[in-house]
Amino acid sequence: MVRRRDTPGQGAGSPVSDAAARHSDNKAMGPARHLGVMHGRPAWLKMTTAALAILLVGGLAFAAFWVVRLQMNISKAPLGAGSSRTEDPVNDSTDRMQILILGSDTRDGKNSEYGEADLSSGYGQSDVMMMMDISADNKRVSVISFPRDLLVDIPECTDQKTGQVFPAQSGVMINEAMKQAGIGCAVDTVNKLTGLEIDHFMMADFNAVKELSNAVGGVEVCISDAVYDPDSRLRLPAGSSQVQGEQALAFLRTRHAFADGGDLGRIKAQQGFLSSLTRKIKDDGTLSDPQKMLKIADVVTQNLTVDDGLASVPSLLTIGNRLKNIDISKVAFVAVPTTPAPTDPNRLAVAEPAASQLFAALQKDVDLTDPTAPPSPSPEPTESAPAPSPSTPVETAPPAYDKALQPVTVANGTGVETRAQEIAQAVIGGGFSQVAQLVAQPVQKTAVYYGPGFEKVAADVAALLEIPATQVLPEPSVSGVQVFAGADFTSGAKMGAVALPSDIVNQTAGDTVCQQANPDLITY
């Protein structure tokens, strides 16, 4: 539509035709739009316009080049291996998100110098396994390490490429989860162990570590004594050192240089390395510097495999953008609590109840650096029951009873081996000394059952454990009171509360930690 023009003395004017505007000599109709009117444009304006056009075209070409290059770098694989999911895909920008980070020990291609290919059959094993948990408000990150020697149950997994089905396995090292059916099987295994549903994964090989450490100009690490590990070829002096390239990879790979030469010392060293790397990236402003980010993105994506949901440059940039402003004191590094496995002292099993407490805290999105922080938002207050009317007779309080004489049993349906003992101790601590323990089939929801005449006792036991009154139920077959603990009560002495070991956090990204050298590898 042609815009109406106001002309003197006529109010709102009628639309002016192009022909009139081009050829009229009437000044009231505005300047004639002959092509020759631009001939008088200053030279500086022409040059500026041309320069801006070149910069715009060049910038678009540069951006397009990097988007295409980075996109071509990315390899992808399925997120799961057949296990069903109950949660919808997350919004990568605004939702809480868990990313499983894996280091592959495959010896193919550039990694062949670290051993023969037959040392890593199939998809390879996970040399490093960590889960990064980013809060929805981007104010904290928890990084949970899983020891490679941890014995776990691996669910049935289907290779999404070939369709081959691998049966479930029990008591298998967690690093073997992706060996046959791929990365998705490792994701399903961690989901089964933790009760979470991982949203994404990132898997890098040996070369990624070398290239990343070179790209940032080295990472500072610290060790108590000079060491040399002939297996990984790590050689470090006592104190602080800058490692990059081969030495950075050796620092992360060594299985013998730290503590007692076991997997737990290796995990603490890996966490110390990542803490130092986080501090350096934050101090250098890397996440806010497009040129530095492009350099790192290029070297990392060349050695990275991600799930389909992360297999785009914008998705990866979204993750980086969420991390750039997080307070490093709120980046918590944790290891799954373990104990020597009963079947093999050279392997590890989850330590209970500490492991279940950690997993329950993760499921409830607890701040591991401050477990006592109040949840947000707080639940809405429930309406109180109406006061009795004057015509309603007020019931008298039931007669007092002797807690020491009341039979209470604790049935463990949580699936956590030591929970009955933990809950029984809480009941005994409340004055009920006649407490027995039972093994029960796993159930989802906790209940307190009571036999005839034990309603008041059941209510008091439920209040002691903070089990809702709606879950206190009559059951004629029960003698006394029975606390049937379910999957909603896997942690702590109070239902809904989270109990965590005081030392669950190994360190935060703000801590500078010097690793303890393995005495057997100290050099002088």
Side-chain angles (χ1 to χ4, degrees):
M1 177 181 293
V2 180
R3 190 167 60 182
R4 301 172 70 90
R5 172 179 296 161
D6 292 339
T7 56
Q10 294 182 354
S14 300
V16 179
S17 69
D18 284 345
R22 281 196 299 267
H23 302 293
S24 175
D25 291 329
N26 187 346
K27 294 182 179 180
M29 300 187 70
R33 292 189 287 171
H34 291 291
L35 294 178
V37 298
M38 297 299 290
H39 290 329
R41 185 171 55 179
W44 66 267
L45 182 57
K46 295 179 182 179
M47 295 176 62
T48 303
T49 303
L52 289 174
I54 292 172
L55 288 174
L56 178 61
V57 173
L60 292 174
F62 177 79
F65 166 79
W66 276 106
V67 169
V68 172
R69 173 168 175 151
L70 295 177
Q71 191 67 55
M72 292 180 65
N73 285 347
I74 299 172
S75 299
K76 61 182 181 179
L79 178 61
S83 294
S84 59
R85 296 183 64 86
T86 61
E87 299 175 359
D88 294 330
V90 296
N91 183 316
D92 290 342
S93 300
T94 59
D95 290 343
R96 181 190 178 198
M97 181 190 304
Q98 287 104 28
I99 303 174
L100 188 64
I101 300 173
L102 302 159
S104 171
D105 69 353
T106 179
R107 267 65 173 185
D108 293 335
K110 297 177 182 178
N111 302 300
S112 59
E113 62 182 287
Y114 303 106
E116 300 299 328
D118 59 5
L119 294 177
S120 179
S121 59
Y123 290 96
Q125 297 173 333
S126 52
D127 200 49
V128 176
M129 182 181 285
M130 299 177 174
M131 184 185 70
M132 179 169 65
D133 185 4
I134 307 172
S135 67
D137 59 8
N138 297 335
K139 291 185 177 178
R140 52 188 167 83
V141 174
S142 299
V143 182
I144 318 300
S145 293
F146 300 84
R148 56 176 289 162
D149 292 337
L150 179 64
L151 299 182
V152 298
D153 294 337
I154 298 176
E156 178 181 283
C157 291
T158 302
D159 187 328
Q160 301 298 294
K161 291 183 179 179
T162 66
Q164 184 176 356
V165 178
F166 296 88
Q169 303 176 72
S170 180
V172 181
M173 284 173 59
I174 196 169
N175 73 327
E176 294 188 16
M178 73 177 196
K179 184 177 180 180
Q180 294 175 315
I183 306 170
C185 191
V187 172
D188 289 350
T189 299
V190 174
N191 288 344
K192 178 179 176 65
L193 177 65
T194 63
L196 299 168
E197 288 192 7
I198 288 169
D199 304 301
H200 297 297
F201 70 77
M202 298 179 178
M203 186 183 75
D205 59 18
F206 293 150
N207 197 59
V209 176
K210 295 192 300 183
E211 296 297 339
L212 176 59
S213 62
N214 286 331
V216 300
V219 177
E220 185 175 283
V221 297
C222 179
I223 192 166
S224 62
D225 300 273
V227 296
Y228 173 61
D229 175 17
D231 290 340
S232 65
R233 293 172 280 185
L234 176 68
R235 186 185 296 275
L236 285 176
S240 297
S241 304
Q242 289 279 336
V243 295
Q244 63 186 92
E246 291 291 346
Q247 281 298 285
L249 177 59
F251 187 89
L252 293 174
R253 286 188 63 222
T254 179
R255 289 179 58 83
H256 309 297
F258 308 113
D260 61 355
D263 209 18
L264 300 182
R266 177 174 179 257
I267 281 178
K268 288 188 175 182
Q270 291 170 348
Q271 292 176 340
F273 180 95
L274 291 177
S275 294
S276 181
L277 176 62
T278 301
R279 291 193 299 274
K280 179 157 191 175
I281 288 176
K282 290 280 285 184
D283 292 344
D284 289 351
T286 299
L287 293 175
S288 301
D289 187 325
Q291 185 174 358
K292 291 180 179 179
M293 278 294 292
L294 283 176
K295 181 180 179 181
I296 290 176
D298 190 32
V299 300
V300 170
T301 53
Q302 290 182 53
N303 304 278
L304 189 70
T305 301
V306 298
D307 62 280
D308 294 326
L310 273 188
S312 70
V313 174
S315 295
L316 294 174
L317 291 177
T318 297
I319 306 299
N321 190 57
R322 291 186 63 170
L323 297 174
K324 68 179 181 181
N325 294 321
I326 289 179
D327 181 349
I328 58 176
S329 69
K330 288 295 184 180
V331 180
F333 290 92
V334 177
V336 173
T338 58
T339 187
T343 56
D344 185 347
N346 294 315
R347 299 289 178 257
L348 298 169
V350 293
E352 296 294 4
S356 291
Q357 290 172 348
L358 172 61
F359 300 150
L362 292 172
Q363 292 164 17
K364 296 177 185 296
D365 196 17
V366 169
D367 181 350
L368 299 183
T369 64
D370 184 12
T372 61
S376 178
S378 300
E380 293 294 328
T382 56
E383 294 185 6
S384 58
S389 63
S391 60
T392 303
V394 178
E395 295 182 3
T396 58
Y401 61 87
D402 187 348
K403 290 184 178 180
L405 301 179
Q406 310 309 312
V408 180
T409 57
V410 178
N412 183 12
T414 66
V416 179
E417 186 175 347
T418 59
R419 283 297 289 152
Q421 180 180 354
E422 191 175 14
I423 295 173
Q425 288 299 319
V427 175
I428 292 171
F432 297 90
S433 56
Q434 301 296 320
V435 182
Q437 301 174 34
L438 298 173
V439 177
Q441 292 296 317
V443 295
Q444 288 299 310
K445 192 172 183 178
T446 298
V448 177
Y449 298 105
Y450 60 90
F454 286 91
E455 182 176 0
K456 171 61 172 147
V457 180
D460 289 346
V461 171
L464 176 66
L465 301 175
E466 296 187 2
I467 297 171
T470 55
Q471 292 169 230
V472 181
L473 306 169
E475 177 51 60
S477 64
V478 170
S479 176
V481 174
Q482 182 182 103
V483 179
F484 201 134
D488 56 351
F489 194 9
T490 57
S491 173
K494 308 284 187 183
M495 186 173 174
V498 174
L500 278 171
S502 58
D503 59 350
I504 192 68
V505 176
N506 287 340
Q507 70 175 94
T508 71
D511 300 327
T512 301
V513 178
C514 209
Q515 307 303 321
Q516 184 63 44
N518 180 357
D520 294 338
L521 296 181
I522 292 176
T523 60
Y524 299 97

